Amino acid sequence: MKRIKSSLSSVFLFCAVSLIPIGASETDDTLYQNFVAPPRNCRPLVWWHWMDGNITKDGIRKDLLWMDEAGIAGFHAFDAGTASPQIVGERLPYMSDGWKDAFRYALDLADSLGMEVTMTSSPGWSVTGGPWVTVEDAQKKLSWRECILEGGREYTGALPDPLTCAGPFQDEPYQFESSFRDGKRNRPDGYYRDIAVIAVPYRECDTARILQFVTKTGWKMNYKVSDHFPTPEPQWCPGADEVIDLTDSFEDGILRWNVPPGRWKVFRFGYSLIGQVNGPATLEATGLEVDKLSRESVIRYYTDYLKMYGIASGDRLGKVIKSIMIDSYESGKGTWTPRMEEEFASRRGYSLRRWLPVLTGQIIGSARESEQFLFDWRQTLGALMAENHYDLVNEILAPYGMKRYSEAHEERTAFVGDGMMVKRRADYPMSAFWARFRAGWHSSYPSSDADIRESSSVAHIYGKDYCAAESFTTNGRPGKWDGYGAYQCSPCNLKPLADAAMAEGLTRFVIHSVVHQPCDDIVPGLGLSTYGQWFGRHETWAHEARVWTDYLSRSCYMLRQGRWNADIAYFYGEDKNITGRFYDERVEMPRGYNYDYVNADILLNEMHAGDGVLTTASGMSYRVLVIDREVKYMSLAVLRRIAEFVREGVTVVGNPPSLKGGMDGSEEEFAALCDSLRHSGKVFSGMSIAYAMGSAGISPDVEFAQCCGADVRFVHRTLENGELYWVANISPQNRQVKVSLRCEGYLPEVWNPVDCSVSEAPYEIRDGRTSVTLELEQDDARFIILRKPASSACGGAPVHRKSLVKSIEGSWKVSFRKGRGAPSSVTLPFLTSLSESEDDGVRYFSGTATYTKTVELTGEEASKAAFLDLGEVRHLCRVRINGVDMGVLWKAPYITGTGGLLHKGRNNLEIEVTDSWANRLIGDAALPESERSTFTSVQFYQAGDSLVPSGLIGPVRLLCQVPVYYDGEGSDN
């Protein structure tokens, strides 16, 4: 390729101190310099877990110094308990004097290194609980008992005794007995408060019930709710005006009532505890989860918690500890709070009291009215969760000057409520994505994609600087759904997952997980139960990790420039959350268009329409509003807003709703608005998004002319002075990709985030579009930067393809790191995986093996050979040619330039190859514990498990480059 910039040495020193804020107006040089050496605020963070009191200052110092060396900008500090074995002389229990001293030491060292420090919202990882939470402030559930009374008489008597069992629903017991281990935590049974006594007429035929009422009322989550399980109209049900409130006639468990004629079902409503505790935490740190629907309880929780951490940190809140992180929600489903009736009435405009029986599955009024009430009930639960558990945290943290990271559901539906609402006030909207071994390293998951897109949409629409994600989480539990793959992660197999996440809008990685290693003689060391990725200073490739974090940082820096460009605002409905709706399927988005999710809050409060375009205060604009095909229920307020958008000329794709959600407004107005949408001429119903976009005259932002498959993805960001496109080939195949971009007038530059090279590419400008031909290797990604005016409508800059000069055959000497069971060195007659060796020490080796070889070259071979191709490598390697360090190769293809270092005669090659821990763990599984060189908290492997390929496998070749020219149509000559 024709080089625009070939030498980086002159800019590295400048870039090391260049900290230009993201979004500032930048010169060409500054953009490139920060691309080469990204600012610290673009670098990854990690989750740093202290496990079961296994803590030492020596380990803290080495962990943090390694993080700094590895290009990690900071950490989220966790204290966790997973019954880890004790490997230190004395444990440091949570919040003991020794723990506090170690914590302050860690903060001081992190501060001296310029690291960003974030604390979690509770011990363990979910979510806001601890031993300081009283039963009065704990999570609560609605419960009830019922009985049948005969009418036409005076009744004085007891109603059924209340249910006081702590658990998720009615008298189901608490599900996590291990949280009360050793008898040191009492089960929170026995707590109960009455709410109301309600009577409704009863007939023998009264057997109809709300379908899926346990889900629709919020006790248990099914990610498909009202749209999929509408309740049929019964033959008979009590009318809403027949419901009688007997609360004032009930005292001390005794009801006094002059029962009207007929038979009556009497409900005794009250609330008790869920019993959920925070976790996984140590015994000292375990307690009840707080009532997340109660503003007062949440304030008391954080007042106590922050006071405790203020003391533990030595008054470093807001000074060294700059943020708090709320992890994914795994804390039970709260369905009541003491102020529930008041909160419901203020939000919905009517009393909850007469509709309480519907929460038991009883139909009141009609099935439609009952479903509308349940819609309002879920909206209220969701609003309380967002406002009193998440939004409120910003208010609480403000006096400290601290910020908030927030995940939400992560996958499926973890609570009643909307993930975008939960994240809307977060300074760092956060998601999560996993590496799941059985599906293969190139597999991203619909739920993970949806979670990331949810966070990035929040960032774009609400004007947040970052979209963060808990990144590369794995489950190596033997025999389970993730299966075989523990301690096998490396940059080469994590990269496609990283690229898939960035395609959804991710701009900051928070790597899961660095587990604190208190000592050096136990390796790989402690883990977070079965969960990884097992990042940290005892990882085999720990000291080569900087190349990996540099790639992530460069990519995130570029993907934060300018403004996200998307044509489509995608409305997924009011009664769903994104990770539930798209848990097992992806949005049916036509190729070449990008989108953001929007919810009711955004439509009502953040978006405005004009000239057929939807805009937000953050600067986003969308040309089309898509209504998800599963949106059948819609509130009148949202329907009115969409109708207003249509009157302003906005194109809408999707069907008008069929049922009114909630009690607000009339059915007549709802029907009239739906009819107006159908006849507006701006609503495309009953057709694909692609067809509708074409009909509206909106061409794809990116068209792919010479590739197929959804594994080539893109991001488009509009710069202050141009455009930025990012194109990623998330597949194990090399591809030539011709992309047609919806812009013109600029010379395209291609920037490579792996090696910082910048090149021209064959291009053509025609009919308002710019076509660029890219040669993408496997798992490859490139930035196309369009800022400089093009001097011509096409360019014939050549690309190069590599051609064989010489295959390097024969034997290699291989030397091994000491202490891993391998001999000091062996000679391999030819290259093959070390796992195929007959020597147990070689076959089970994990770590760095150094391959050396002398290669005889002719003068012609030496002059032509521009590249050294190592073939298959597992997993990273450092290359030296005639003693000169060529750097670290960490992804396929493992090819490095020879740098003019080869010469006629004898040439020395030295290749340090680092594999994963897996094979040594498999080998040690066959040995007595006293003879093993490794230790893990969980034994993931058994003797005889299949080994993974390792080492330098080859073939090794010397290559030259041959130019390939393209004509205006993209064919090569």
Side-chain angles (χ1 to χ4, degrees):
M1 292 185 180
K2 179 180 177 182
R3 293 288 170 182
I4 297 177
K5 293 180 174 71
S6 59
S7 174
L8 305 181
S9 59
S10 63
V11 300
F12 268 98
L13 181 61
F14 179 86
C15 291
V17 295
S18 179
L19 297 173
I20 305 300
I22 299 298
S25 178
E26 301 186 350
T27 65
D28 291 1
D29 286 342
T30 301
L31 183 66
Y32 181 71
Q33 289 157 3
N34 283 341
F35 172 66
V36 173
R40 195 173 186 87
N41 60 9
C42 295
R43 301 202 69 86
L45 307 172
V46 296
W47 281 3
W48 190 30
H49 285 89
W50 291 10
M51 299 305 303
D52 291 281
N54 285 288
I55 304 163
T56 66
K57 285 186 177 179
D58 182 62
I60 288 171
R61 179 178 64 85
K62 290 174 178 175
D63 278 358
L64 293 182
L65 290 176
W66 170 78
M67 289 182 203
D68 190 54
E69 168 200 328
I72 300 299
F75 57 86
H76 293 183
F78 285 78
D79 190 272
T82 60
S84 303
Q86 183 172 339
I87 65 171
V88 295
E90 180 181 357
R91 289 184 188 265
L92 301 182
Y94 180 70
M95 287 296 162
S96 65
D97 289 343
W99 189 97
K100 293 175 184 177
D101 181 54
F103 188 59
R104 291 171 189 156
Y105 175 77
L107 294 178
D108 287 343
L109 180 54
D111 190 34
S112 72
L113 295 170
M115 286 186 161
E116 177 186 323
V117 180
T118 297
M119 60 185 281
T120 55
S121 59
S122 73
W125 64 59
S126 191
V127 63
T128 36
W132 57 93
V133 176
T134 66
V135 292
E136 292 292 343
D137 280 336
Q139 271 189 307
K140 300 168 182 69
K141 66 179 180 187
L142 180 71
S143 64
W144 69 90
R145 300 296 302 276
E146 59 187 67
C147 62
I148 305 298
L149 294 182
E150 298 291 340
R153 64 188 177 108
E154 287 281 348
Y155 177 80
T156 299
L159 294 182
D161 290 337
L163 300 175
T164 62
C165 172
F169 174 69
Q170 287 291 79
D171 58 351
E172 286 186 22
Y174 186 73
Q175 297 174 327
F176 303 97
E177 296 293 340
S178 61
S179 297
F180 300 94
R181 56 189 179 275
D182 302 327
K184 296 180 181 178
R185 287 280 181 267
N186 294 323
R187 287 174 52 91
D189 290 331
Y191 178 88
Y192 175 83
R193 301 289 185 272
D194 277 310
I195 298 170
V197 176
I198 303 294
V200 300
Y202 175 76
R203 296 182 186 178
E204 292 296 340
C205 64
D206 182 16
T207 58
R209 287 291 177 269
I210 300 291
L211 291 184
Q212 297 280 331
F213 87 91
V214 175
T215 292
K216 292 178 182 179
T217 48
W219 280 286
K220 297 182 181 180
M221 294 293 100
N222 184 323
Y223 57 99
K224 308 290 189 182
V225 191
S226 57
D227 290 1
H228 286 256
F229 305 106
T231 300
E233 290 293 345
Q235 292 182 343
W236 175 88
C237 65
D241 57 352
E242 297 179 282
V243 176
I244 300 176
D245 182 358
L246 299 175
T247 306
D248 291 342
S249 302
F250 181 71
E251 186 175 6
D252 297 329
I254 302 299
L255 175 66
R256 294 174 175 82
W257 181 33
N258 184 10
V259 186
R263 305 185 75 194
W264 294 83
K265 183 185 291 186
V266 178
F267 296 90
R268 179 181 182 178
F269 288 101
Y271 61 91
S272 55
L273 300 184
I274 295 173
Q276 180 81 38
V277 297
N278 62 301
T282 60
L283 184 64
E284 299 83 8
T286 299
L288 291 167
E289 285 280 344
V290 78
D291 178 356
K292 292 146 187 33
L293 309 181
S294 166
R295 177 182 176 88
E296 295 78 13
S297 293
V298 171
I299 288 174
R300 283 190 288 270
Y301 172 85
Y302 275 108
T303 298
D304 291 342
Y305 187 56
L306 292 170
K307 180 180 179 181
M308 182 171 66
Y309 264 87
I311 295 170
S313 67
D315 193 31
R316 289 166 173 82
L317 294 183
K319 301 169 185 175
V320 178
I321 302 175
K322 298 295 181 66
S323 305
I324 202 164
M325 194 278 295
I326 304 176
D327 200 351
S328 56
Y329 191 93
E330 301 169 35
S331 301
K333 285 72 177 175
T335 52
W336 196 262
T337 192
R339 290 167 54 88
M340 176 63 82
E341 291 188 274
E342 178 182 337
E343 296 278 14
F344 185 92
S346 68
R347 285 170 168 77
R348 307 276 84 88
Y350 63 96
S351 173
L352 167 65
R353 184 68 64 91
R354 72 165 61 187
W355 297 95
L356 282 172
V358 178
L359 300 177
T360 74
Q362 173 74 52
I363 299 173
I364 297 291
S366 66
R368 171 170 283 199
E369 286 181 283
S370 297
E371 292 278 16
Q372 288 175 330
F373 160 72
L374 289 174
F375 183 96
D376 283 342
W377 168 254
R378 292 189 295 272
Q379 295 296 302
T380 302
L381 289 177
L384 291 175
M385 177 70 81
E387 294 169 20
N388 292 346
H389 185 241
Y390 289 93
D391 291 355
L392 179 59
V393 177
N394 294 58
E395 181 182 327
I396 293 169
L397 294 178
Y400 298 90
M402 295 172 65
K403 296 183 177 182
R404 171 168 65 98
Y405 287 81
S406 273
E407 294 189 32
H409 300 270
E410 185 172 341
E411 66 175 18
R412 294 186 185 264
T413 304
F415 57 87
V416 177
D418 178 80
M420 294 190 79
M421 285 284 285
V422 161
K423 298 174 183 179
R424 63 181 176 171
R425 303 286 181 255
D427 302 281
Y428 307 99
M430 192 165 172
S431 50
F433 68 93
W434 289 57
R436 291 177 171 164
F437 307 117
R438 287 193 175 180
W441 293 105
H442 287 84
S443 295
S444 62
Y445 287 77
S447 58
S448 293
D449 292 350
D451 195 21
I452 299 167
R453 181 76 63 155
E454 175 181 89
S455 293
S456 67
S457 298
V458 168
H460 304 151
I461 293 166
Y462 291 96
K464 310 297 181 179
D465 290 335
Y466 297 89
C467 166
E470 165 197 339
S471 306
F472 313 117
T473 309
T474 63
N475 185 349
R477 184 179 297 130
K480 299 296 181 181
W481 52 274
D482 266 346
Y484 188 81
Y487 287 94
Q488 293 185 35
C489 298
S490 67
C492 66
N493 50 38
L494 295 175
K495 184 181 186 295
L497 299 173
D499 288 347
M502 289 188 287
E504 300 299 328
L506 177 63
T507 60
R508 196 169 207 190
F509 291 86
V510 185
I511 297 173
H512 184 299
S513 162
V514 173
V515 172
H516 169 54
Q517 302 301 334
C519 47
D520 294 332
D521 58 345
I522 298 177
V523 295
L526 292 174
L528 182 64
S529 183
T530 62
Y531 300 103
Q533 170 235 333
W534 296 266
F535 201 39
R537 64 187 176 90
H538 289 340
E539 177 58 270
T540 54
W541 47 273
H543 297 289
E544 284 76 43
R546 182 76 185 219
V547 294
W548 171 229
T549 64
D550 281 349
Y551 171 77
L552 299 177
S553 305
R554 287 188 198 112
S555 300
C556 288
Y557 169 74
M558 297 298 286
L559 291 172
R560 286 179 56 204
Q561 298 307 300
R563 186 184 69 251
W564 175 267
N565 196 304
D567 291 303
I568 294 170
Y570 194 100
F571 178 56
Y572 53 91
E574 298 167 84
D575 207 21
K576 301 178 178 66
N577 65 288
I578 292 169
T579 54
R581 168 63 183 92
F582 297 108
Y583 171 71
D584 52 8
E585 64 176 308
R586 290 182 169 88
V587 170
E588 296 176 354
M589 189 59 53
R591 196 147 164 75
Y593 297 95
N594 220 332
Y595 67 100
D596 277 327
Y597 288 121
V598 295
N599 62 7
D601 179 60
I602 292 167
L603 293 179
L604 293 172
N605 301 310
E606 302 295 330
M607 281 189 153
H608 303 279
D611 297 326
V613 176
L614 292 169
T615 59
T616 69
S618 64
M620 292 301 302
S621 62
Y622 307 91
R623 304 170 73 178
V624 171
L625 175 67
V626 170
I627 301 174
D628 183 64
R629 58 181 166 80
E630 290 198 357
V631 174
K632 299 180 177 65
Y633 286 75
M634 187 179 291
S635 69
L636 190 55
V638 169
L639 184 60
R640 288 171 181 152
R641 188 65 164 165
I642 293 174
E644 178 185 329
F645 292 160
V646 169
R647 287 193 295 271
E648 292 293 330
V650 174
T651 297
V652 174
V653 179
N655 298 318
S658 54
L659 296 169
K660 182 170 73 71
M663 295 285 198
D664 181 51
S666 68
E667 296 287 353
E668 291 75 16
E669 182 186 359
F670 184 86
L673 285 171
C674 289
D675 190 60
S676 71
L677 291 178
R678 293 187 186 95
H679 296 91
S680 65
K682 298 296 292 183
V683 177
F684 293 84
S685 298
M687 63 185 69
S688 69
I689 299 174
Y691 184 86
M693 297 295 281
S695 299
I698 303 171
S699 64
D701 191 3
V702 177
E703 293 178 333
F704 299 90
Q706 287 181 226
C707 72
C708 59
D711 47 10
V712 177
R713 306 185 195 181
F714 80 97
V715 168
H716 176 196
R717 296 188 71 92
T718 296
L719 307 175
E720 184 178 334
N721 60 340
E723 307 293 333
L724 176 155
Y725 286 85
W726 174 80
V727 180
N729 174 31
I730 307 173
S731 78
Q733 287 81 40
N734 295 344
R735 284 184 168 165
Q736 181 191 102
V737 179
K738 185 174 181 180
V739 294
S740 172
L741 312 175
R742 197 173 59 199
C743 67
E744 62 179 340
Y746 296 104
L747 173 71
E749 302 172 23
V750 180
W751 294 21
N752 185 344
V754 171
D755 62 10
C756 300
S757 62
V758 179
S759 61
E760 292 181 4
Y763 74 93
E764 180 185 18
I765 302 172
R766 184 168 61 185
D767 299 330
R769 304 187 70 92
T770 300
S771 296
V772 182
T773 301
L774 300 175
E775 295 287 339
L776 295 181
E777 299 162 340
Q778 66 180 90
D779 303 329
D780 204 359
R782 294 287 191 274
F783 290 94
I784 305 173
I785 310 299
L786 301 109
R787 297 173 303 166
K788 300 176 181 179
S791 58
S792 63
C794 63
V799 297
H800 292 87
R801 290 182 179 167
K802 297 175 177 65
S803 179
L804 179 65
V805 173
K806 182 182 181 70
S807 294
I808 299 176
E809 310 285 354
S811 63
W812 290 74
K813 180 182 178 181
V814 187
S815 303
F816 299 94
R817 176 177 173 172
K818 294 180 180 180
R820 298 287 170 82
S824 60
S825 66
V826 297
T827 298
L828 299 180
F830 54 88
L831 291 176
T832 187
S833 173
L834 297 179
S835 62
E836 297 179 1
S837 173
E838 295 181 359
D839 184 316
D840 282 354
V842 175
R843 180 164 62 252
Y844 297 129
F845 178 77
S846 290
T848 300
T850 302
Y851 290 69
T852 56
K853 185 177 182 63
T854 299
V855 180
E856 189 82 27
L857 297 178
T858 66
E860 182 181 4
E861 289 171 336
S863 64
K864 289 178 63 177
F867 297 95
L868 175 64
D869 179 2
L870 301 180
E872 184 178 357
V873 175
R874 298 296 181 96
H875 291 99
L876 297 88
C877 65
R878 181 177 293 276
V879 179
R880 292 183 177 88
I881 299 176
N882 288 326
V884 178
D885 189 346
M886 307 302 292
V888 175
L889 303 178
W890 56 272
K891 64 171 288 292
Y894 290 85
I895 298 175
T896 183
T898 58
L901 296 171
L902 297 174
H903 52 73
K904 180 180 179 180
R906 296 166 64 85
N907 293 267
N908 297 317
L909 301 182
E910 181 178 290
I911 302 158
E912 297 177 356
V913 182
T914 303
D915 66 355
S916 69
W917 276 112
N919 288 348
R920 184 65 265 165
L921 294 174
I922 293 169
D924 277 4
L927 300 176
E929 287 190 23
S930 60
E931 297 180 20
R932 296 175 182 177
S933 59
T934 59
F935 166 90
T936 56
S937 298
V938 175
Q939 183 170 328
F940 293 98
Y941 296 104
Q942 302 297 321
D945 280 347
S946 299
L947 299 178
V948 298
S950 66
L952 175 61
I953 300 172
V956 177
R957 305 178 300 163
L958 291 172
L959 307 175
C960 64
Q961 56 183 5
V962 178
V964 179
Y965 292 88
Y966 291 87
D967 59 26
E969 298 302 318
S971 61
D972 54 339
N973 295 287

